[in-house]
Amino acid sequence: MTHTRRGRGRPTVFDEPVRTQYLDLIRHGARLGDAATQLGINRSVPTRYSKTDREFAAALTEARELGAKARQEEVPHDEYRYNILKCRCPKCTKAAAQGRAERRATEDPPGGQAPADVHPIRLEGPGVGESLPSFLLARAS
Ligand SMILES: [Zn+2]
């Protein structure tokens, strides 16, 4: 099929040792772009290469699955994991509930972003709106 010969023709930036290192990085949880950067290759090179080499494409898919698992295992069980990684274990569920409660208790969140679920304080509740004007009217007349 493909015969690659080093030192001839165009430079082989993504030759066998580099591919092995690349897959190894991915397998250990590196992101595709980061792995490419670490090896000094353009991030599009492995993607392009995987289109020409089915074995590599399969190896890359496998490496990515392993890498995703490795990444998840490094992430502590907390709110981030609950929200982003959809972990629903008791620890993450509790952390997420706690985080939501804490945000609700914070009146002025950092960054100046208004929380989405703010309920404006109504100055004229049913009780106030009815009793106060009549009281004032009674006094005025
Ligand atoms: Zn969890």
Side-chain angles (χ1 to χ4, degrees):
M1 265 189 63
T2 46
H3 299 275
T4 44
R5 216 163 273 227
R6 256 177 266 169
R8 289 190 62 196
R10 56 197 171 143
T12 47
V13 285
F14 202 53
D15 55 7
E16 212 273 317
V18 183
R19 289 201 297 273
T20 308
Q21 284 180 63
Y22 181 78
L23 290 174
D24 216 42
L25 284 168
I26 301 298
R27 212 174 283 132
H28 286 91
R31 306 205 176 259
L32 297 184
D34 294 341
T37 306
Q38 272 198 53
L39 296 170
I41 54 170
N42 192 291
R43 57 189 303 161
S44 68
V45 169
T47 315
R48 256 200 322 250
Y49 184 83
S50 68
K51 285 182 181 128
T52 64
D53 187 330
R54 261 193 289 168
E55 251 176 67
F56 175 78
L60 181 58
T61 304
E62 201 192 319
R64 288 179 75 170
E65 277 165 19
L66 288 168
K69 249 179 248 169
R71 270 205 301 277
Q72 283 206 7
E73 264 147 39
E74 276 172 35
V75 175
H77 287 268
D78 61 13
E79 198 183 356
Y80 171 86
R81 196 175 164 116
Y82 178 91
N83 288 329
I84 309 299
L85 303 175
K86 311 288 175 206
C87 186
R88 290 296 181 264
C89 78
K91 211 170 164 184
C92 290
T93 308
K94 198 180 157 204
Q98 222 163 46
R100 278 195 299 271
E102 272 164 31
R103 273 194 299 281
R104 228 175 277 135
T106 314
E107 284 191 0
D108 205 354
Q113 279 176 298
D117 56 346
V118 178
H119 300 289
I121 298 159
R122 295 189 57 158
L123 292 172
E124 286 177 295
V128 178
E130 273 165 40
S131 64
L132 193 63
S134 56
F135 169 73
L136 287 171
L137 281 169
R139 290 296 289 263
S141 55

